[in-house]
């Protein structure tokens, strides 16, 4: 019989919009809100979660495909936004800043708790003001989350060493991107740069580096609409796992159009949760 579960559901992933639900019995967190508020609410409903149950949204960075639904969502449901100061400042002139009054700011690299989920943050290289990745811990489970990054630093590999489930960007197939006739050269260069996005091959390399750790499952995401397909991303990663004799690692590719299955990351403690949330940790307001 399973105890209470720490789980992940990808609500949407791709260059056109990103949002994920990380949940325990006591806590429901959105990672980014880059879908219309209506779509977020609809997809949460498919997970059996109402927006009123959300404890907050944590932001990876300020790009529109990660925040566009939050203005309406945060205003309507008084949802706290957890992000670093530079990301909040980048959003200062947006309607989001006007309409969301509940900002909880942390320093990049900080570790904090939202109810019974511990959130570790670390910097990632991407063309945003202060983009970050996350490791979420609850009970026996640990979940790494890196989307939108040009390459993976030693620090990132260290942070992800113990995760059992990893959400990782497989943005593009290198050949499809090179042969793409729609994108101008500077855009291609931006995507491929060290502050752009991970290719399928690059992501497969990162996963290989984590194989000596505790990794059991990888969820691929943030696929480019025209320069990748789920089959290409999955085949690249599976071929590399096969080569390492590790086809026991579960693989899944998240898409833009439908929610993923609910992945069980680990079990949590049964019984009532005593909140240890420290408001003083966060700087409020912009
Ligand atoms: Zn993005
Ligand atoms: Zn981005």
């Amino acid at each position: 019989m399973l105890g209470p579960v720490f789980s992940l559901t990808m609500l949407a992933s791709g260059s056109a919009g990103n949002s994920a639900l990380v949940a325990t019995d006591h806590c429901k967190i959105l990672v980014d809100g880059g879908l219309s508020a209506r779509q977020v609410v609809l997809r949460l409903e498919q997970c059996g979660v109402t927006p009123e149950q959300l404890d907050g949204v944590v932001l990876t960075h300020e790009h529109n495909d990660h925040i566009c639904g939050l203005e309406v969502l945060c205003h309507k449901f008084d949802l706290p936004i957890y992000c670093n100061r530079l990301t909040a400042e980048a959003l200062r002139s947006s309607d989001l800043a006007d309409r969301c009054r509940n900002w909880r700011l942390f320093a990049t690299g900080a570790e904090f708790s939202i109810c019974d989920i511990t959130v570790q943050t670390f910097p990632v290289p991407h063309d945003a003001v202060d983009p970050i990745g996350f490791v979420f811990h609850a009970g026996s489970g640990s979940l790494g989350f890196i989307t939108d990054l040009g390459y993976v630093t030693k620090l990132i590999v260290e942070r992800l060493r113990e995760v059992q489930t990893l959400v990782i960007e497989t943005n593009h197939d290198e050949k499809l991107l090179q042969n793409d006739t729609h994108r101008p050269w500077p855009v291609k260069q931006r995507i491929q740069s060290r502050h752009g996005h991970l290719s399928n091959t690059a992501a497969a390399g990162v996963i290989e580096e984590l194989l000596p750790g505790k990794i059991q499952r990888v969820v691929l995401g943030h696929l480019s609409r025209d320069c990748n397909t789920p089959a290409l991303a999955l085949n690249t990663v599976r071929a590399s796992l096969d080569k390492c004799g590790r086809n026991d690692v579960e693989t899944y590719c998240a898409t833009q159009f439908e929610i993923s299955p609910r992945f069980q990351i680990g079990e949590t403690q049964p019984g009532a949760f005593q909140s240890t949330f420290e408001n003083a940790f966060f700087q409020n307001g912009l």
Side-chain angles (χ1 to χ4, degrees), residues 8 135-136 141-145 160 162-167 214-219 250 263-266:
L8 161 77
V135 176
F136 300 97
S142 154
L143 163 69
F145 203 104
L160 297 175
E162 301 295 307
V163 303
Q164 298 132 330
T165 296
L166 174 67
V167 177
K214 296 189 175 157
I215 192 96
Q216 295 165 352
R217 178 194 292 121
V218 290
V219 177
E250 182 187 333
F263 298 110
Q264 186 192 326
I265 310 300

mmCIF file with all atom_site columns, all heavy atoms in Angstrom, residues 8 135-136 141-145 160 162-167 214-219 250 263-266:
data_model
loop_
_atom_site.group_PDB
_atom_site.id
_atom_site.type_symbol
_atom_site.label_atom_id
_atom_site.label_alt_id
_atom_site.label_comp_id
_atom_site.label_asym_id
_atom_site.label_entity_id
_atom_site.label_seq_id
_atom_site.pdbx_PDB_ins_code
_atom_site.Cartn_x
_atom_site.Cartn_y
_atom_site.Cartn_z
_atom_site.occupancy
_atom_site.B_iso_or_equiv
_atom_site.pdbx_formal_charge
_atom_site.auth_seq_id
_atom_site.auth_comp_id
_atom_site.auth_asym_id
_atom_site.auth_atom_id
_atom_site.pdbx_PDB_model_num
ATOM 1   N N   . LEU A 1 8   ? 4.680  14.683 -9.929  1.00 0.00 ? 8   LEU A N   1
ATOM 2   C CA  . LEU A 1 8   ? 4.907  15.686 -10.976 1.00 0.00 ? 8   LEU A CA  1
ATOM 3   C C   . LEU A 1 8   ? 3.934  15.431 -12.108 1.00 0.00 ? 8   LEU A C   1
ATOM 4   O O   . LEU A 1 8   ? 3.800  14.287 -12.560 1.00 0.00 ? 8   LEU A O   1
ATOM 5   C CB  . LEU A 1 8   ? 6.333  15.549 -11.526 1.00 0.00 ? 8   LEU A CB  1
ATOM 6   C CG  . LEU A 1 8   ? 6.583  16.187 -12.910 1.00 0.00 ? 8   LEU A CG  1
ATOM 7   C CD1 . LEU A 1 8   ? 6.728  17.699 -12.787 1.00 0.00 ? 8   LEU A CD1 1
ATOM 8   C CD2 . LEU A 1 8   ? 7.834  15.606 -13.580 1.00 0.00 ? 8   LEU A CD2 1
ATOM 9   N N   . VAL A 1 135 ? 15.814 21.897 -7.734  1.00 0.00 ? 135 VAL A N   1
ATOM 10  C CA  . VAL A 1 135 ? 15.624 20.527 -7.248  1.00 0.00 ? 135 VAL A CA  1
ATOM 11  C C   . VAL A 1 135 ? 14.556 20.612 -6.161  1.00 0.00 ? 135 VAL A C   1
ATOM 12  O O   . VAL A 1 135 ? 14.666 21.434 -5.241  1.00 0.00 ? 135 VAL A O   1
ATOM 13  C CB  . VAL A 1 135 ? 16.918 19.912 -6.682  1.00 0.00 ? 135 VAL A CB  1
ATOM 14  C CG1 . VAL A 1 135 ? 16.639 18.530 -6.096  1.00 0.00 ? 135 VAL A CG1 1
ATOM 15  C CG2 . VAL A 1 135 ? 17.979 19.791 -7.769  1.00 0.00 ? 135 VAL A CG2 1
ATOM 16  N N   . PHE A 1 136 ? 13.499 19.816 -6.302  1.00 0.00 ? 136 PHE A N   1
ATOM 17  C CA  . PHE A 1 136 ? 12.420 19.754 -5.308  1.00 0.00 ? 136 PHE A CA  1
ATOM 18  C C   . PHE A 1 136 ? 12.580 18.464 -4.505  1.00 0.00 ? 136 PHE A C   1
ATOM 19  O O   . PHE A 1 136 ? 12.761 17.394 -5.084  1.00 0.00 ? 136 PHE A O   1
ATOM 20  C CB  . PHE A 1 136 ? 11.056 19.732 -6.001  1.00 0.00 ? 136 PHE A CB  1
ATOM 21  C CG  . PHE A 1 136 ? 10.790 20.937 -6.865  1.00 0.00 ? 136 PHE A CG  1
ATOM 22  C CD1 . PHE A 1 136 ? 11.006 20.888 -8.235  1.00 0.00 ? 136 PHE A CD1 1
ATOM 23  C CD2 . PHE A 1 136 ? 10.333 22.117 -6.302  1.00 0.00 ? 136 PHE A CD2 1
ATOM 24  C CE1 . PHE A 1 136 ? 10.767 21.998 -9.043  1.00 0.00 ? 136 PHE A CE1 1
ATOM 25  C CE2 . PHE A 1 136 ? 10.089 23.235 -7.103  1.00 0.00 ? 136 PHE A CE2 1
ATOM 26  C CZ  . PHE A 1 136 ? 10.300 23.180 -8.473  1.00 0.00 ? 136 PHE A CZ  1
ATOM 27  N N   . GLY A 1 141 ? 11.477 11.561 -1.986  1.00 0.00 ? 141 GLY A N   1
ATOM 28  C CA  . GLY A 1 141 ? 11.617 11.862 -3.416  1.00 0.00 ? 141 GLY A CA  1
ATOM 29  C C   . GLY A 1 141 ? 12.416 13.110 -3.714  1.00 0.00 ? 141 GLY A C   1
ATOM 30  O O   . GLY A 1 141 ? 12.445 14.066 -2.934  1.00 0.00 ? 141 GLY A O   1
ATOM 31  N N   . SER A 1 142 ? 13.036 13.104 -4.870  1.00 0.00 ? 142 SER A N   1
ATOM 32  C CA  . SER A 1 142 ? 13.810 14.265 -5.302  1.00 0.00 ? 142 SER A CA  1
ATOM 33  C C   . SER A 1 142 ? 13.690 14.419 -6.826  1.00 0.00 ? 142 SER A C   1
ATOM 34  O O   . SER A 1 142 ? 13.878 13.476 -7.579  1.00 0.00 ? 142 SER A O   1
ATOM 35  C CB  . SER A 1 142 ? 15.229 14.045 -4.803  1.00 0.00 ? 142 SER A CB  1
ATOM 36  O OG  . SER A 1 142 ? 16.155 14.689 -5.569  1.00 0.00 ? 142 SER A OG  1
ATOM 37  N N   . LEU A 1 143 ? 13.348 15.640 -7.231  1.00 0.00 ? 143 LEU A N   1
ATOM 38  C CA  . LEU A 1 143 ? 13.014 15.932 -8.624  1.00 0.00 ? 143 LEU A CA  1
ATOM 39  C C   . LEU A 1 143 ? 13.856 17.101 -9.126  1.00 0.00 ? 143 LEU A C   1
ATOM 40  O O   . LEU A 1 143 ? 13.820 18.183 -8.548  1.00 0.00 ? 143 LEU A O   1
ATOM 41  C CB  . LEU A 1 143 ? 11.519 16.310 -8.692  1.00 0.00 ? 143 LEU A CB  1
ATOM 42  C CG  . LEU A 1 143 ? 11.008 17.042 -9.934  1.00 0.00 ? 143 LEU A CG  1
ATOM 43  C CD1 . LEU A 1 143 ? 11.028 16.116 -11.149 1.00 0.00 ? 143 LEU A CD1 1
ATOM 44  C CD2 . LEU A 1 143 ? 9.581  17.557 -9.699  1.00 0.00 ? 143 LEU A CD2 1
ATOM 45  N N   . GLY A 1 144 ? 14.617 16.883 -10.191 1.00 0.00 ? 144 GLY A N   1
ATOM 46  C CA  . GLY A 1 144 ? 15.403 17.964 -10.799 1.00 0.00 ? 144 GLY A CA  1
ATOM 47  C C   . GLY A 1 144 ? 14.625 18.589 -11.945 1.00 0.00 ? 144 GLY A C   1
ATOM 48  O O   . GLY A 1 144 ? 13.852 17.899 -12.634 1.00 0.00 ? 144 GLY A O   1
ATOM 49  N N   . PHE A 1 145 ? 14.834 19.883 -12.179 1.00 0.00 ? 145 PHE A N   1
ATOM 50  C CA  . PHE A 1 145 ? 14.039 20.581 -13.187 1.00 0.00 ? 145 PHE A CA  1
ATOM 51  C C   . PHE A 1 145 ? 14.927 21.595 -13.905 1.00 0.00 ? 145 PHE A C   1
ATOM 52  O O   . PHE A 1 145 ? 15.282 22.631 -13.357 1.00 0.00 ? 145 PHE A O   1
ATOM 53  C CB  . PHE A 1 145 ? 12.879 21.289 -12.479 1.00 0.00 ? 145 PHE A CB  1
ATOM 54  C CG  . PHE A 1 145 ? 11.693 21.572 -13.362 1.00 0.00 ? 145 PHE A CG  1
ATOM 55  C CD1 . PHE A 1 145 ? 10.548 20.801 -13.266 1.00 0.00 ? 145 PHE A CD1 1
ATOM 56  C CD2 . PHE A 1 145 ? 11.731 22.608 -14.291 1.00 0.00 ? 145 PHE A CD2 1
ATOM 57  C CE1 . PHE A 1 145 ? 9.446  21.046 -14.082 1.00 0.00 ? 145 PHE A CE1 1
ATOM 58  C CE2 . PHE A 1 145 ? 10.633 22.849 -15.115 1.00 0.00 ? 145 PHE A CE2 1
ATOM 59  C CZ  . PHE A 1 145 ? 9.486  22.066 -15.007 1.00 0.00 ? 145 PHE A CZ  1
ATOM 60  N N   . LEU A 1 160 ? 22.251 18.053 -9.421  1.00 0.00 ? 160 LEU A N   1
ATOM 61  C CA  . LEU A 1 160 ? 21.292 17.044 -9.895  1.00 0.00 ? 160 LEU A CA  1
ATOM 62  C C   . LEU A 1 160 ? 21.715 15.621 -9.562  1.00 0.00 ? 160 LEU A C   1
ATOM 63  O O   . LEU A 1 160 ? 20.984 14.672 -9.847  1.00 0.00 ? 160 LEU A O   1
ATOM 64  C CB  . LEU A 1 160 ? 21.126 17.173 -11.416 1.00 0.00 ? 160 LEU A CB  1
ATOM 65  C CG  . LEU A 1 160 ? 20.543 18.499 -11.916 1.00 0.00 ? 160 LEU A CG  1
ATOM 66  C CD1 . LEU A 1 160 ? 20.555 18.524 -13.435 1.00 0.00 ? 160 LEU A CD1 1
ATOM 67  C CD2 . LEU A 1 160 ? 19.119 18.705 -11.392 1.00 0.00 ? 160 LEU A CD2 1
ATOM 68  N N   . GLU A 1 162 ? 21.722 13.610 -7.138  1.00 0.00 ? 162 GLU A N   1
ATOM 69  C CA  . GLU A 1 162 ? 20.920 12.673 -6.341  1.00 0.00 ? 162 GLU A CA  1
ATOM 70  C C   . GLU A 1 162 ? 19.459 12.586 -6.773  1.00 0.00 ? 162 GLU A C   1
ATOM 71  O O   . GLU A 1 162 ? 18.667 11.926 -6.117  1.00 0.00 ? 162 GLU A O   1
ATOM 72  C CB  . GLU A 1 162 ? 20.979 13.068 -4.860  1.00 0.00 ? 162 GLU A CB  1
ATOM 73  C CG  . GLU A 1 162 ? 22.381 13.083 -4.267  1.00 0.00 ? 162 GLU A CG  1
ATOM 74  C CD  . GLU A 1 162 ? 23.008 11.691 -4.228  1.00 0.00 ? 162 GLU A CD  1
ATOM 75  O OE1 . GLU A 1 162 ? 22.357 10.781 -3.682  1.00 0.00 ? 162 GLU A OE1 1
ATOM 76  O OE2 . GLU A 1 162 ? 24.123 11.526 -4.774  1.00 0.00 ? 162 GLU A OE2 1
ATOM 77  N N   . VAL A 1 163 ? 19.093 13.257 -7.862  1.00 0.00 ? 163 VAL A N   1
ATOM 78  C CA  . VAL A 1 163 ? 17.662 13.253 -8.204  1.00 0.00 ? 163 VAL A CA  1
ATOM 79  C C   . VAL A 1 163 ? 17.256 11.919 -8.822  1.00 0.00 ? 163 VAL A C   1
ATOM 80  O O   . VAL A 1 163 ? 18.046 11.267 -9.501  1.00 0.00 ? 163 VAL A O   1
ATOM 81  C CB  . VAL A 1 163 ? 17.242 14.425 -9.144  1.00 0.00 ? 163 VAL A CB  1
ATOM 82  C CG1 . VAL A 1 163 ? 17.589 15.770 -8.522  1.00 0.00 ? 163 VAL A CG1 1
ATOM 83  C CG2 . VAL A 1 163 ? 17.850 14.285 -10.527 1.00 0.00 ? 163 VAL A CG2 1
ATOM 84  N N   . GLN A 1 164 ? 16.001 11.530 -8.551  1.00 0.00 ? 164 GLN A N   1
ATOM 85  C CA  . GLN A 1 164 ? 15.475 10.279 -9.114  1.00 0.00 ? 164 GLN A CA  1
ATOM 86  C C   . GLN A 1 164 ? 14.743 10.536 -10.419 1.00 0.00 ? 164 GLN A C   1
ATOM 87  O O   . GLN A 1 164 ? 14.733 9.704  -11.315 1.00 0.00 ? 164 GLN A O   1
ATOM 88  C CB  . GLN A 1 164 ? 14.527 9.612  -8.111  1.00 0.00 ? 164 GLN A CB  1
ATOM 89  C CG  . GLN A 1 164 ? 15.208 9.223  -6.821  1.00 0.00 ? 164 GLN A CG  1
ATOM 90  C CD  . GLN A 1 164 ? 14.410 9.668  -5.614  1.00 0.00 ? 164 GLN A CD  1
ATOM 91  O OE1 . GLN A 1 164 ? 13.700 10.674 -5.662  1.00 0.00 ? 164 GLN A OE1 1
ATOM 92  N NE2 . GLN A 1 164 ? 14.533 8.925  -4.535  1.00 0.00 ? 164 GLN A NE2 1
ATOM 93  N N   . THR A 1 165 ? 14.064 11.689 -10.475 1.00 0.00 ? 165 THR A N   1
ATOM 94  C CA  . THR A 1 165 ? 13.382 12.082 -11.717 1.00 0.00 ? 165 THR A CA  1
ATOM 95  C C   . THR A 1 165 ? 13.969 13.410 -12.171 1.00 0.00 ? 165 THR A C   1
ATOM 96  O O   . THR A 1 165 ? 14.211 14.294 -11.354 1.00 0.00 ? 165 THR A O   1
ATOM 97  C CB  . THR A 1 165 ? 11.863 12.234 -11.476 1.00 0.00 ? 165 THR A CB  1
ATOM 98  O OG1 . THR A 1 165 ? 11.321 10.961 -11.120 1.00 0.00 ? 165 THR A OG1 1
ATOM 99  C CG2 . THR A 1 165 ? 11.151 12.735 -12.731 1.00 0.00 ? 165 THR A CG2 1
ATOM 100 N N   . LEU A 1 166 ? 14.207 13.527 -13.465 1.00 0.00 ? 166 LEU A N   1
ATOM 101 C CA  . LEU A 1 166 ? 14.749 14.772 -14.015 1.00 0.00 ? 166 LEU A CA  1
ATOM 102 C C   . LEU A 1 166 ? 13.878 15.241 -15.168 1.00 0.00 ? 166 LEU A C   1
ATOM 103 O O   . LEU A 1 166 ? 13.610 14.484 -16.102 1.00 0.00 ? 166 LEU A O   1
ATOM 104 C CB  . LEU A 1 166 ? 16.173 14.539 -14.534 1.00 0.00 ? 166 LEU A CB  1
ATOM 105 C CG  . LEU A 1 166 ? 16.814 15.733 -15.261 1.00 0.00 ? 166 LEU A CG  1
ATOM 106 C CD1 . LEU A 1 166 ? 17.062 16.894 -14.300 1.00 0.00 ? 166 LEU A CD1 1
ATOM 107 C CD2 . LEU A 1 166 ? 18.127 15.325 -15.932 1.00 0.00 ? 166 LEU A CD2 1
ATOM 108 N N   . VAL A 1 167 ? 13.429 16.498 -15.081 1.00 0.00 ? 167 VAL A N   1
ATOM 109 C CA  . VAL A 1 167 ? 12.814 17.163 -16.236 1.00 0.00 ? 167 VAL A CA  1
ATOM 110 C C   . VAL A 1 167 ? 13.937 17.917 -16.928 1.00 0.00 ? 167 VAL A C   1
ATOM 111 O O   . VAL A 1 167 ? 14.617 18.729 -16.302 1.00 0.00 ? 167 VAL A O   1
ATOM 112 C CB  . VAL A 1 167 ? 11.713 18.154 -15.801 1.00 0.00 ? 167 VAL A CB  1
ATOM 113 C CG1 . VAL A 1 167 ? 11.146 18.884 -17.016 1.00 0.00 ? 167 VAL A CG1 1
ATOM 114 C CG2 . VAL A 1 167 ? 10.607 17.426 -15.050 1.00 0.00 ? 167 VAL A CG2 1
ATOM 115 N N   . LYS A 1 214 ? 21.229 8.590  -8.837  1.00 0.00 ? 214 LYS A N   1
ATOM 116 C CA  . LYS A 1 214 ? 20.013 7.850  -8.484  1.00 0.00 ? 214 LYS A CA  1
ATOM 117 C C   . LYS A 1 214 ? 18.932 7.935  -9.556  1.00 0.00 ? 214 LYS A C   1
ATOM 118 O O   . LYS A 1 214 ? 17.779 7.601  -9.315  1.00 0.00 ? 214 LYS A O   1
ATOM 119 C CB  . LYS A 1 214 ? 19.463 8.405  -7.176  1.00 0.00 ? 214 LYS A CB  1
ATOM 120 C CG  . LYS A 1 214 ? 20.412 8.173  -6.022  1.00 0.00 ? 214 LYS A CG  1
ATOM 121 C CD  . LYS A 1 214 ? 19.783 8.526  -4.693  1.00 0.00 ? 214 LYS A CD  1
ATOM 122 C CE  . LYS A 1 214 ? 20.726 8.161  -3.563  1.00 0.00 ? 214 LYS A CE  1
ATOM 123 N NZ  . LYS A 1 214 ? 20.430 8.936  -2.349  1.00 0.00 ? 214 LYS A NZ  1
ATOM 124 N N   . ILE A 1 215 ? 19.298 8.405  -10.724 1.00 0.00 ? 215 ILE A N   1
ATOM 125 C CA  . ILE A 1 215 ? 18.300 8.698  -11.743 1.00 0.00 ? 215 ILE A CA  1
ATOM 126 C C   . ILE A 1 215 ? 17.534 7.442  -12.188 1.00 0.00 ? 215 ILE A C   1
ATOM 127 O O   . ILE A 1 215 ? 18.114 6.399  -12.443 1.00 0.00 ? 215 ILE A O   1
ATOM 128 C CB  . ILE A 1 215 ? 18.967 9.416  -12.954 1.00 0.00 ? 215 ILE A CB  1
ATOM 129 C CG1 . ILE A 1 215 ? 17.946 10.002 -13.895 1.00 0.00 ? 215 ILE A CG1 1
ATOM 130 C CG2 . ILE A 1 215 ? 19.933 8.517  -13.693 1.00 0.00 ? 215 ILE A CG2 1
ATOM 131 C CD1 . ILE A 1 215 ? 17.692 11.440 -13.634 1.00 0.00 ? 215 ILE A CD1 1
ATOM 132 N N   . GLN A 1 216 ? 16.195 7.573  -12.175 1.00 0.00 ? 216 GLN A N   1
ATOM 133 C CA  . GLN A 1 216 ? 15.331 6.451  -12.569 1.00 0.00 ? 216 GLN A CA  1
ATOM 134 C C   . GLN A 1 216 ? 14.414 6.828  -13.725 1.00 0.00 ? 216 GLN A C   1
ATOM 135 O O   . GLN A 1 216 ? 13.849 5.972  -14.389 1.00 0.00 ? 216 GLN A O   1
ATOM 136 C CB  . GLN A 1 216 ? 14.432 6.042  -11.396 1.00 0.00 ? 216 GLN A CB  1
ATOM 137 C CG  . GLN A 1 216 ? 15.187 5.490  -10.216 1.00 0.00 ? 216 GLN A CG  1
ATOM 138 C CD  . GLN A 1 216 ? 14.320 5.452  -8.966  1.00 0.00 ? 216 GLN A CD  1
ATOM 139 O OE1 . GLN A 1 216 ? 13.195 5.968  -8.946  1.00 0.00 ? 216 GLN A OE1 1
ATOM 140 N NE2 . GLN A 1 216 ? 14.846 4.849  -7.913  1.00 0.00 ? 216 GLN A NE2 1
ATOM 141 N N   . ARG A 1 217 ? 14.220 8.139  -13.913 1.00 0.00 ? 217 ARG A N   1
ATOM 142 C CA  . ARG A 1 217 ? 13.250 8.585  -14.926 1.00 0.00 ? 217 ARG A CA  1
ATOM 143 C C   . ARG A 1 217 ? 13.667 9.950  -15.481 1.00 0.00 ? 217 ARG A C   1
ATOM 144 O O   . ARG A 1 217 ? 14.091 10.813 -14.723 1.00 0.00 ? 217 ARG A O   1
ATOM 145 C CB  . ARG A 1 217 ? 11.870 8.727  -14.272 1.00 0.00 ? 217 ARG A CB  1
ATOM 146 C CG  . ARG A 1 217 ? 10.792 9.229  -15.215 1.00 0.00 ? 217 ARG A CG  1
ATOM 147 C CD  . ARG A 1 217 ? 9.551  9.663  -14.467 1.00 0.00 ? 217 ARG A CD  1
ATOM 148 N NE  . ARG A 1 217 ? 8.823  8.578  -13.825 1.00 0.00 ? 217 ARG A NE  1
ATOM 149 C CZ  . ARG A 1 217 ? 8.572  8.492  -12.520 1.00 0.00 ? 217 ARG A CZ  1
ATOM 150 N NH1 . ARG A 1 217 ? 8.995  9.432  -11.706 1.00 0.00 ? 217 ARG A NH1 1
ATOM 151 N NH2 . ARG A 1 217 ? 7.881  7.487  -12.033 1.00 0.00 ? 217 ARG A NH2 1
ATOM 152 N N   . VAL A 1 218 ? 13.541 10.106 -16.810 1.00 0.00 ? 218 VAL A N   1
ATOM 153 C CA  . VAL A 1 218 ? 13.750 11.435 -17.392 1.00 0.00 ? 218 VAL A CA  1
ATOM 154 C C   . VAL A 1 218 ? 12.504 11.853 -18.171 1.00 0.00 ? 218 VAL A C   1
ATOM 155 O O   . VAL A 1 218 ? 11.914 11.052 -18.890 1.00 0.00 ? 218 VAL A O   1
ATOM 156 C CB  . VAL A 1 218 ? 15.004 11.524 -18.294 1.00 0.00 ? 218 VAL A CB  1
ATOM 157 C CG1 . VAL A 1 218 ? 16.273 11.443 -17.468 1.00 0.00 ? 218 VAL A CG1 1
ATOM 158 C CG2 . VAL A 1 218 ? 15.008 10.459 -19.368 1.00 0.00 ? 218 VAL A CG2 1
ATOM 159 N N   . VAL A 1 219 ? 12.112 13.098 -17.955 1.00 0.00 ? 219 VAL A N   1
ATOM 160 C CA  . VAL A 1 219 ? 10.972 13.671 -18.673 1.00 0.00 ? 219 VAL A CA  1
ATOM 161 C C   . VAL A 1 219 ? 11.539 14.748 -19.593 1.00 0.00 ? 219 VAL A C   1
ATOM 162 O O   . VAL A 1 219 ? 12.105 15.736 -19.120 1.00 0.00 ? 219 VAL A O   1
ATOM 163 C CB  . VAL A 1 219 ? 9.949  14.272 -17.683 1.00 0.00 ? 219 VAL A CB  1
ATOM 164 C CG1 . VAL A 1 219 ? 8.803  14.937 -18.433 1.00 0.00 ? 219 VAL A CG1 1
ATOM 165 C CG2 . VAL A 1 219 ? 9.421  13.185 -16.743 1.00 0.00 ? 219 VAL A CG2 1
ATOM 166 N N   . GLU A 1 250 ? 13.405 5.108  -17.122 1.00 0.00 ? 250 GLU A N   1
ATOM 167 C CA  . GLU A 1 250 ? 12.149 5.399  -17.821 1.00 0.00 ? 250 GLU A CA  1
ATOM 168 C C   . GLU A 1 250 ? 12.281 6.734  -18.578 1.00 0.00 ? 250 GLU A C   1
ATOM 169 O O   . GLU A 1 250 ? 12.884 7.676  -18.070 1.00 0.00 ? 250 GLU A O   1
ATOM 170 C CB  . GLU A 1 250 ? 11.054 5.489  -16.749 1.00 0.00 ? 250 GLU A CB  1
ATOM 171 C CG  . GLU A 1 250 ? 9.656  5.732  -17.252 1.00 0.00 ? 250 GLU A CG  1
ATOM 172 C CD  . GLU A 1 250 ? 8.681  5.971  -16.070 1.00 0.00 ? 250 GLU A CD  1
ATOM 173 O OE1 . GLU A 1 250 ? 8.916  5.480  -14.935 1.00 0.00 ? 250 GLU A OE1 1
ATOM 174 O OE2 . GLU A 1 250 ? 7.690  6.685  -16.309 1.00 0.00 ? 250 GLU A OE2 1
ATOM 175 N N   . PHE A 1 263 ? 3.430  11.505 -12.551 1.00 0.00 ? 263 PHE A N   1
ATOM 176 C CA  . PHE A 1 263 ? 4.600  10.703 -12.197 1.00 0.00 ? 263 PHE A CA  1
ATOM 177 C C   . PHE A 1 263 ? 4.788  10.708 -10.686 1.00 0.00 ? 263 PHE A C   1
ATOM 178 O O   . PHE A 1 263 ? 4.812  11.781 -10.073 1.00 0.00 ? 263 PHE A O   1
ATOM 179 C CB  . PHE A 1 263 ? 5.863  11.266 -12.854 1.00 0.00 ? 263 PHE A CB  1
ATOM 180 C CG  . PHE A 1 263 ? 5.825  11.253 -14.349 1.00 0.00 ? 263 PHE A CG  1
ATOM 181 C CD1 . PHE A 1 263 ? 5.733  12.430 -15.072 1.00 0.00 ? 263 PHE A CD1 1
ATOM 182 C CD2 . PHE A 1 263 ? 5.860  10.051 -15.046 1.00 0.00 ? 263 PHE A CD2 1
ATOM 183 C CE1 . PHE A 1 263 ? 5.701  12.418 -16.459 1.00 0.00 ? 263 PHE A CE1 1
ATOM 184 C CE2 . PHE A 1 263 ? 5.824  10.027 -16.433 1.00 0.00 ? 263 PHE A CE2 1
ATOM 185 C CZ  . PHE A 1 263 ? 5.738  11.212 -17.138 1.00 0.00 ? 263 PHE A CZ  1
ATOM 186 N N   . GLN A 1 264 ? 4.953  9.540  -10.123 1.00 0.00 ? 264 GLN A N   1
ATOM 187 C CA  . GLN A 1 264 ? 5.240  9.462  -8.697  1.00 0.00 ? 264 GLN A CA  1
ATOM 188 C C   . GLN A 1 264 ? 6.740  9.607  -8.478  1.00 0.00 ? 264 GLN A C   1
ATOM 189 O O   . GLN A 1 264 ? 7.530  8.813  -8.984  1.00 0.00 ? 264 GLN A O   1
ATOM 190 C CB  . GLN A 1 264 ? 4.770  8.118  -8.140  1.00 0.00 ? 264 GLN A CB  1
ATOM 191 C CG  . GLN A 1 264 ? 4.932  8.067  -6.636  1.00 0.00 ? 264 GLN A CG  1
ATOM 192 C CD  . GLN A 1 264 ? 4.744  6.673  -6.077  1.00 0.00 ? 264 GLN A CD  1
ATOM 193 O OE1 . GLN A 1 264 ? 3.944  5.904  -6.597  1.00 0.00 ? 264 GLN A OE1 1
ATOM 194 N NE2 . GLN A 1 264 ? 5.487  6.359  -5.040  1.00 0.00 ? 264 GLN A NE2 1
ATOM 195 N N   . ILE A 1 265 ? 7.120  10.654 -7.756  1.00 0.00 ? 265 ILE A N   1
ATOM 196 C CA  . ILE A 1 265 ? 8.544  10.916 -7.532  1.00 0.00 ? 265 ILE A CA  1
ATOM 197 C C   . ILE A 1 265 ? 9.026  10.175 -6.284  1.00 0.00 ? 265 ILE A C   1
ATOM 198 O O   . ILE A 1 265 ? 10.148 9.712  -6.215  1.00 0.00 ? 265 ILE A O   1
ATOM 199 C CB  . ILE A 1 265 ? 8.803  12.435 -7.341  1.00 0.00 ? 265 ILE A CB  1
ATOM 200 C CG1 . ILE A 1 265 ? 8.140  13.253 -8.454  1.00 0.00 ? 265 ILE A CG1 1
ATOM 201 C CG2 . ILE A 1 265 ? 10.283 12.733 -7.253  1.00 0.00 ? 265 ILE A CG2 1
ATOM 202 C CD1 . ILE A 1 265 ? 8.600  12.941 -9.835  1.00 0.00 ? 265 ILE A CD1 1
ATOM 203 N N   . GLY A 1 266 ? 8.159  10.103 -5.287  1.00 0.00 ? 266 GLY A N   1
ATOM 204 C CA  . GLY A 1 266 ? 8.528  9.434  -4.040  1.00 0.00 ? 266 GLY A CA  1
ATOM 205 C C   . GLY A 1 266 ? 7.338  9.426  -3.106  1.00 0.00 ? 266 GLY A C   1
ATOM 206 O O   . GLY A 1 266 ? 6.258  9.882  -3.474  1.00 0.00 ? 266 GLY A O   1
#
